Amino acid sequence: MDYILIVIGFVMLILGANYLVDGAVGVARRFNIPNLVIGLTIVAFGTSAPELVVNLIAAFDPNTTDIALTNIIGSNMINTYIILGATALVYPIASQVSSRKFDIPLAAAGPALIFLLVLLSPQSRIAWAGGLVLLVVFAFFMYVTVRKAKTLKEVPELAELEPATLPKTWLSILLIVGGLAMLVVGGRLIVNSATRIALSLGVSQAVIGLTIVALGTSLPELATSVVAAFKKNSDIALGNVIGSNIFNVFFVLGISATLRPLPAYENMNIDLLVTALGGVLVWAFVSTNRRYEIKRWEGLLFLAMYGAYLWWMLMEAQNPLATTGCL
């Protein structure tokens, strides 16, 4: 039953995020808010809403705080290794100059900053001060992104949305309220079901958070990136993944840690190393060939690396004598 409930929770998260974005875009358009602002705030927030809701619910329950941290680390891992890997197999992923110079390095630095914040904390956790640091970095990222995006005429995610297709104001508000309600209910179903699944399988919440929960909350990014690749708009796919990774670490984790300290978990340093390695490889792949792209064989390498990591993690979870600490 818990497996059915967690699937229902994921469906509610995805639908809730879509309804929230549709309603918010409708209201924003009615008030003539520019596409640029909508794309950088509402659309970007919508893709990170599943992670945010799951994190907030998990963070406020002292028995599920592992899920709050592993959800972000696991989502960023899946974004890089699975989503970029699968997308590159469909079509090589192009990159923009601005992404190579700023966005990709910042995404790669995220796991290192998490490790540093935990290392500097006497309680081995990301406290409220660490959360504020993450939010300050996120604010700087948004400032740079807004300045950079002023040269764009249209936001790709909204290019096909015509004013005639917008819902009426009352319907937009209903979509926002309904979307938020679905996010909250879906997030609670996921956290509670994941906790019971971990107990029944005899594994830690960290393992469930890094795999099942992380994959479920990354479904919007997966769908968007693969569809973009089939349409040969692979630069959108890369921007979607890198932007999501930045939002997850600096915005979602920043808010979560500010509201409630997030303690480190066992083997966290290894998970952060794998996540950081993925970010470094993305930067290396797009910077070391003439087309500045992630090639198909590199996408296959991403998938193989994640498979090896997943095998190691499951073997480690089954080893009762494992004593590796988080730092």
Side-chain angles (χ1 to χ4, degrees), residues 4-160:
I4 296 176
L5 289 175
I6 204 169
V7 171
I8 294 174
F10 286 138
V11 172
M12 293 186 71
L13 278 186
I14 295 171
L15 291 177
N18 286 333
Y19 291 151
L20 176 62
V21 170
D22 290 343
V25 168
V27 171
R29 280 287 183 84
R30 296 296 178 187
F31 288 94
N32 296 317
I33 296 177
N35 283 351
L36 172 62
V37 177
I38 297 173
L40 291 176
T41 55
I42 298 172
V43 174
F45 173 78
T47 59
S48 293
E51 287 90 348
L52 177 61
V53 172
V54 169
N55 264 45
L56 292 178
I57 292 174
F60 277 97
D61 187 342
N63 297 318
T64 60
T65 51
D66 278 0
I67 293 179
L69 196 52
T70 55
N71 175 39
I72 295 303
I73 297 174
S75 291
N76 282 16
M77 255 194 256
I78 289 173
N79 283 349
T80 301
Y81 290 98
I82 298 296
I83 297 179
L84 286 185
T87 303
L89 284 181
V90 175
Y91 194 80
I93 302 175
S95 65
Q96 301 294 329
V97 176
S98 57
S99 294
R100 296 193 297 272
K101 289 185 176 180
F102 181 70
D103 299 339
I104 295 175
L106 179 61
L113 181 56
I114 294 175
F115 177 83
L116 182 62
L117 291 175
V118 174
L119 185 66
L120 294 177
S121 171
Q123 294 84 19
S124 295
R125 63 183 186 178
I126 304 179
W128 67 269
L132 287 179
V133 170
L134 294 174
L135 290 175
V136 168
V137 176
F138 177 75
F140 174 71
F141 162 74
M142 288 300 297
Y143 168 75
V144 173
T145 302
V146 169
R147 290 192 59 185
K148 177 178 62 178
K150 285 182 179 179
T151 60
L152 298 177
K153 295 181 180 180
E154 182 61 82
V155 178
E157 292 87 341
L158 300 172
E160 299 179 358

Side-chain angles (χ1 to χ4, degrees), residues 76 106-116 249-250 271-273 275-277:
N76 282 16
L106 179 61
L113 181 56
I114 294 175
F115 177 83
L116 182 62
V249 170
F250 298 104
D271 297 335
L272 288 173
L273 179 62
T275 307
L277 177 61

